[in-house]
Amino acid sequence: MVTIFSTERRKTAALVVVLSALEFWLRMPVLLGLGALYQRDLFLVYFPLVHSILRAVSEGALPLRDLTSGFGQPLLGDPSCQILYPPAWLHLLMEPPLAYGWFVSLHSVFGGLGIAFLARRMSGGSHVAGMVGGMMWLISGPLQSLATLWHHLSGAAWIPWILLAVESFIERRDRTSAVHIGAALGFQILAGSAEMCAATIFISLLRLMTGIPIQHWKNLLTLSLSLGLALSLGLGAWLPAGQAALGSGREVLNETTRTFWSLHPASLLEFFLPVPLVFLPISSQWKALLFEGREPFLPSMFFGALTLPLVVAALCNSRMSRGVRTAYGAGALAYFLIALGKNAPFYKALVAVVPPLLIFRFPIKAMIPAAMLICVLTGAGAQAVRTSRGARLAAIILAVLLALISLSFMGPGRVLLEETLLAGAGTVDLAAFNRNLVPDLCFTIALLGLLVAFAIRPTSRVLLVVLLFGAARQSVYLLADLNPLVSPDALRYRPAHLEALRSADHGRLMMYDYSLVQGASQKRLGRENLSWTGLEGMSPDVGTVLGTLEYAAPLTGGVWGLEYAWDADLRRLFNRRLARLTNQLRTLEDRPGYLKVLQISGVEKVGALHDAGFEELTLLSRHRIFHQEPLRIFGVPEPLPLAHLTTGRKQSTAADLEDLLDPGFDPRTTVLVDVGPSKDATPGFSGLARVVERRADKVVVETSASTPAFLTLLEGALPGWRAWMDGRATPVERANAAFIGAEVPAGNHRIEFRFIPMAAVVGSISTALTALSLLVWLVRSRASVLPGHRSHWRRYGARTSSGAQAISEPRALNSVHHNET
């Protein structure tokens, strides 16, 4: 028994070492701090949010609110912030770019190990299946595309582990397996990707239906323990998120927004062939069809030529459980079809049948769980080729077919590509395409030839090693530029004019948005896109980072604590009233009332690259930056302070902007409220409000008033604000459509506003208590197993007897594989 355990243990350790080494090879510059990932939302949203969270923690505040966006937005209300997700706490130990690099690699390996163990279990304990499945995940285009999508990456990493627990439940149907399912699903919820959670539940249900006979479906009631445990553990993420979503623009998405970034059927071209669409000089028409005219959400769908033959081999392996093949094969196909989104005629009907899909954006996300299942089946197919004649024949047929297709792209297929996808490409681009395509296709054909040789001689370990090395080498070569890096020093860049952008007395900054407002750049600057100057000799990636930081574009200034006003709702978490006001403000730029809105919202400075529309503001300074135009910093005359007193009350209507712009509304004497009677301002009133303490979760104001007044605090109106005046609770009201306030009596008083959303409190307590209970249960269960030295390895093919002899792999396969009822 000791011999068996140590052998299995060594093989598992070898698997961990190989996958870790492969990941280190793929991301060595990032893991060593020599380069940093930065693209898209990672640079614009994630790093500023991390700094906001760290800043709150350093101040002793609960990290519940981000002060840098939308007058203060909830953090726990955005699950992608991952505040309660333990791996994200790496940021407490390292600088954000380095911590994020390790976060990506740890989840890549974690997901790869889960795929490896799942493929190994499907194949009766084959370590070959595990090694192939895990490696194919690490080198796949979909995983490499997830490097800048932190919550989807971490959520996907839990999918195979949950499926492993489901397989255990199917085998044993006990409470321990149900606890494993619930714990893994709970941590996946904390990772913050609702789409990955939904995908996992669907695949798990499909597998349970194919794995448990109908007469035993009563055992599924045990899974209520799993669901309750998962919801209790994940309550700290989904309860605040649900509260935030109910009042935001994400509650119901229109069809255009929801189906943006749908997978185009032409993308099948790059699934198994070395035709990386994102790097080809494709025409603008095809770029609009494939990538919506923007950068793609998942830049690569490349799996490699070995994948399709091995997946088909797994599905044709009669020795493998029919339920496993049905569930995982159907699951992969179903998610591929969902990923087609608006490009599939049945998508509207699917959304009508499954209403929760209305809150999910970007159908191409469905390719993430599909990719994981494809890699699991690929690993299982590698073992199937070694043990099943039918699987071997299927792999050979598919390999030959792909080789013939590859050959066709050296001739007629290449011409067809040039006449369709590459129409309009320049001569130089076409020459580069032709120069690279033929060698890549030859390498693919060579790999397919080696696969055929391996199918003929499945016991050859040399052929298997060469196949895996060749597949990894091709993937690394084709996807080398998928995730460009910049020096960490570029992300640490601090503009010389930063202090000129800061506002005194908690005044806010509004930076004109040229990128996210359609047509703004063309209208104001005379060109469609921003361009950088003074960065000659630097890579375009570094130029993008430095140019964006120099302009302090929202929300990048959050790294330095800049507090933006009227910034775009990048995370789609603004409540509907704030989102509507933000959009309406864009239409006021050249109309009366623009200045009044800025004053009401406490905006002290405005940054822009143009002058038109800011005639009512005061030009404070100009700064030469990495743009064609200098940065203008304007001062807003007489903005309202963060805290101020008024005596008049006016009840608002449903039209917030019209109420604010009403000539009869004076924000210096009157406040707009949602409920309560209106009253005129008190003549001769004198009063003062002074902010004495301000953190992410608390604002303390001292007031002195000659008569009763209303205290307006220019912090975003969110569910969860509570107030105490001189130690006694007092109601909090919405003020001036977007802010908060409270009535104060005459005299001197101390009002303490605290942001304590009950959803966040209840959810966080539930998560903490559930995690602690799981830890106690784990320790006790391990302690109860140790005295008997019970081994779990036998389920992977090891069998013990009085002589403690391990059976060989073929015997293990014969003993484990069975058809389910």
Side-chain angles (χ1 to χ4, degrees):
M1 183 173 183
V2 174
T3 303
I4 296 173
F5 182 78
S6 60
T7 299
E8 292 290 338
R9 193 172 182 177
R10 286 198 299 268
K11 290 182 178 179
T12 300
L15 176 64
V16 174
V17 169
V18 169
L19 295 185
S20 300
L22 176 58
E23 175 65 18
F24 186 79
W25 178 43
L26 293 172
R27 301 202 193 277
M28 184 165 51
V30 176
L31 298 177
L32 294 179
L34 304 176
L37 294 162
Y38 81 95
Q39 280 184 306
R40 218 160 42 189
D41 290 352
L42 187 62
F43 171 50
L44 295 174
V45 177
Y46 183 76
F47 288 149
L49 281 175
V50 167
H51 280 275
S52 184
I53 294 169
L54 294 177
R55 195 160 40 246
V57 172
S58 68
E59 294 172 349
L62 296 174
L64 299 176
R65 197 168 65 102
D66 170 33
L67 296 178
T68 66
S69 173
F71 304 102
Q73 290 298 306
L75 287 172
L76 277 180
D78 181 2
S80 68
C81 290
Q82 301 181 321
I83 292 176
L84 299 178
Y85 185 57
W89 301 345
L90 279 171
H91 290 288
L92 296 173
L93 306 175
M94 311 175 188
E95 283 190 325
L98 181 61
Y100 183 75
W102 280 93
F103 179 89
V104 169
S105 287
L106 288 174
H107 280 90
S108 297
V109 173
F110 182 64
L113 284 172
I115 287 175
F117 291 151
L118 188 57
R120 188 168 75 174
R121 183 172 189 130
M122 289 172 56
S123 304
S126 168
H127 290 275
V128 168
M131 189 70 73
V132 173
M135 289 186 64
M136 295 308 289
W137 171 245
L138 290 181
I139 64 176
S140 69
L143 173 63
Q144 297 302 313
S145 300
L146 286 175
T148 56
L149 300 170
W150 58 97
H151 54 305
H152 296 314
L153 168 69
S154 49
W158 285 96
I159 294 178
W161 295 96
I162 297 171
L163 294 179
L164 274 169
V166 169
E167 294 292 341
S168 179
F169 181 83
I170 290 173
E171 178 185 320
R172 299 157 59 182
R173 293 196 282 277
D174 61 349
R175 290 187 178 181
T176 300
S177 300
V179 170
H180 290 163
I181 295 174
L185 182 57
F187 278 106
Q188 187 187 45
I189 293 173
L190 293 179
S193 175
E195 293 89 344
M196 296 305 104
C197 294
T200 306
I201 292 172
F202 171 76
I203 299 169
S204 299
L205 291 176
L206 190 61
R207 178 66 188 106
L208 288 167
M209 287 189 293
T210 61
I212 297 180
I214 295 178
Q215 61 269 28
H216 295 302
W217 278 11
K218 60 183 180 181
N219 297 111
L220 294 179
L221 293 176
T222 309
L223 287 178
S224 60
L225 173 64
S226 300
L227 184 60
L229 180 60
L231 293 178
S232 179
L233 182 59
L235 197 66
W238 68 262
L239 191 60
Q243 183 184 52
L246 286 176
S248 73
R250 187 172 283 213
E251 183 179 356
V252 178
L253 301 175
N254 59 54
E255 184 177 352
T256 302
T257 302
R258 193 177 65 249
T259 60
F260 197 80
W261 274 321
S262 296
L263 182 71
H264 194 277
S267 297
L268 277 170
L269 182 67
E270 72 167 335
F271 272 47
F272 312 111
L273 296 178
V275 186
L277 296 177
V278 71
F279 298 128
L280 297 184
I282 59 178
S283 64
S284 57
Q285 177 185 1
W286 274 100
K287 187 172 292 185
L289 290 174
L290 293 173
F291 309 133
E292 309 286 354
R294 289 188 52 186
E295 75 283 358
F297 186 79
L298 294 178
S300 174
M301 288 289 108
F302 182 70
F303 290 94
L306 305 182
T307 301
L308 182 59
L310 293 180
V311 167
V312 175
L315 296 177
C316 292
N317 183 13
S318 58
R319 294 190 175 193
M320 188 185 300
S321 163
R322 182 178 299 171
V324 172
R325 287 181 287 156
T326 301
Y328 294 167
L333 178 61
Y335 275 103
F336 167 74
L337 295 177
I338 292 173
L340 293 175
K342 64 185 177 184
N343 297 314
F346 52 80
Y347 188 76
K348 289 185 178 179
L350 180 63
V351 171
V353 175
V354 189
L357 290 176
L358 289 171
I359 65 172
F360 294 143
R361 292 187 298 169
F362 315 149
I364 198 171
K365 292 177 184 176
M367 276 305 304
I368 300 170
M372 299 204 84
L373 293 177
I374 288 172
C375 291
V376 170
L377 291 170
T378 300
Q383 178 60 25
V385 168
R386 305 176 72 195
T387 58
S388 169
R389 183 172 300 175
R392 192 177 302 127
L393 180 61
I396 292 174
I397 293 174
L398 264 295
V400 171
L401 179 61
L402 280 178
L404 293 175
I405 294 175
S406 300
L407 281 173
S408 72
F409 274 95
M410 293 184 184
R414 178 180 58 79
V415 175
L416 182 62
L417 273 178
E418 292 183 2
E419 293 178 350
T420 54
L421 286 178
L422 309 182
T427 305
V428 175
D429 292 330
L430 282 178
F433 166 72
N434 290 321
R435 186 168 57 251
N436 294 325
L437 181 64
V438 173
D440 291 342
L441 289 172
C442 289
F443 193 88
T444 297
I445 294 172
L447 282 178
L448 292 169
L450 286 173
L451 178 59
V452 171
F454 175 69
I456 296 173
R457 295 193 58 185
T459 58
S460 174
R461 294 185 177 181
V462 174
L463 282 174
L464 180 61
V465 171
V466 173
L467 268 176
L468 291 178
F469 178 79
R473 183 68 187 86
Q474 184 181 47
S475 181
V476 170
Y477 169 73
L478 290 175
L479 307 180
D481 298 324
L482 198 64
N483 294 301
L485 306 178
V486 297
S487 168
D489 291 334
L491 295 176
R492 299 188 193 106
Y493 179 75
R494 189 182 182 90
H497 54 271
L498 179 61
E499 296 307 315
L501 291 170
R502 293 192 188 278
S503 299
D505 299 325
H506 311 292
R508 288 192 170 87
L509 168 71
M510 192 189 85
M511 297 299 295
Y512 192 88
D513 197 337
Y514 297 95
S515 300
L516 297 179
V517 179
Q518 187 175 8
S521 182
Q522 182 67 46
K523 177 182 178 181
R524 298 301 185 185
L525 304 179
R527 58 180 187 277
E528 292 185 4
N529 300 302
L530 297 178
S531 57
W532 326 118
T533 60
L535 294 170
E536 292 75 11
M538 296 186 183
S539 70
D541 305 309
V542 173
T544 297
V545 170
L546 296 184
T548 307
L549 289 177
E550 275 272 275
Y551 184 64
L555 298 168
T556 57
V559 171
W560 310 300
L562 295 180
E563 297 183 19
Y564 291 100
W566 306 115
D567 50 294
D569 186 8
L570 293 176
R571 297 184 287 158
R572 296 189 68 83
L573 287 176
F574 289 3
N575 64 69
R576 283 189 290 271
R577 293 176 71 173
L578 177 60
R580 183 168 59 248
L581 276 172
T582 301
N583 292 331
Q584 290 173 337
L585 184 63
R586 307 289 197 263
T587 67
L588 284 180
E589 292 174 2
D590 299 313
R591 294 166 51 197
Y594 189 68
L595 173 61
K596 186 178 181 181
V597 175
L598 296 182
Q599 292 171 329
I600 291 174
S601 54
V603 176
E604 188 173 310
K605 294 183 179 179
V606 174
L609 300 177
H610 68 280
D611 297 300
F614 300 124
E615 289 79 10
E616 294 182 291
L617 308 186
T618 303
L619 180 62
L620 300 178
S621 59
R622 290 172 179 254
H623 303 270
R624 173 57 61 185
I625 60 174
F626 302 132
H627 288 262
Q628 294 183 23
E629 300 84 4
L631 171 63
R632 284 92 159 166
I633 300 179
F634 299 92
V636 178
E638 300 180 349
L640 289 175
L642 179 65
H644 56 275
L645 297 172
T646 53
T647 55
R649 287 175 64 101
K650 181 179 180 180
Q651 189 169 355
S652 64
T653 67
D656 289 330
L657 184 63
E658 286 76 3
D659 288 339
L660 294 175
L661 298 183
D662 184 353
F665 168 61
D666 183 358
R668 302 188 184 281
T669 61
T670 307
V671 62
L672 282 172
V673 293
D674 287 357
V675 295
S678 299
K679 68 175 184 177
D680 294 332
T682 303
F685 168 76
S686 64
L688 176 67
R690 184 170 64 94
V691 177
V692 295
E693 183 182 1
R694 183 170 182 257
R695 331 185 298 195
D697 61 344
K698 180 173 72 172
V699 182
V700 180
V701 183
E702 292 181 348
T703 63
S704 175
S706 60
T707 65
F710 188 93
L711 169 64
T712 299
L713 188 64
L714 299 182
E715 302 285 2
L718 299 169
W721 278 110
R722 288 168 174 77
W724 290 263
M725 182 168 53
D726 302 328
R728 295 184 179 181
T730 188
V732 176
E733 299 184 57
R734 181 184 285 266
N736 293 341
F739 309 109
I740 59 173
E743 291 282 357
V744 296
N748 300 324
H749 300 281
R750 180 184 176 92
I751 300 91
E752 180 176 313
F753 292 86
R754 280 190 174 272
F755 183 65
I756 313 175
M758 286 306 298
V761 173
V762 173
S764 299
I765 292 174
S766 174
T767 294
L769 291 178
T770 307
L772 181 60
S773 300
L774 279 172
L775 181 61
V776 172
W777 174 83
L778 178 63
V779 172
R780 294 184 62 182
S781 63
R782 290 295 181 188
S784 66
V785 170
L786 285 176
H789 296 288
R790 295 176 61 187
S791 174
H792 66 283
W793 298 108
R794 69 187 67 182
R795 80 181 62 155
Y796 292 121
R799 177 182 297 169
T800 58
S801 62
S802 57
Q805 298 295 319
I807 61 175
S808 63
E809 193 172 77
R811 284 187 59 196
L813 287 169
N814 292 331
S815 66
V816 172
H817 290 309
H818 58 277
N819 289 327
E820 298 171 354
T821 305

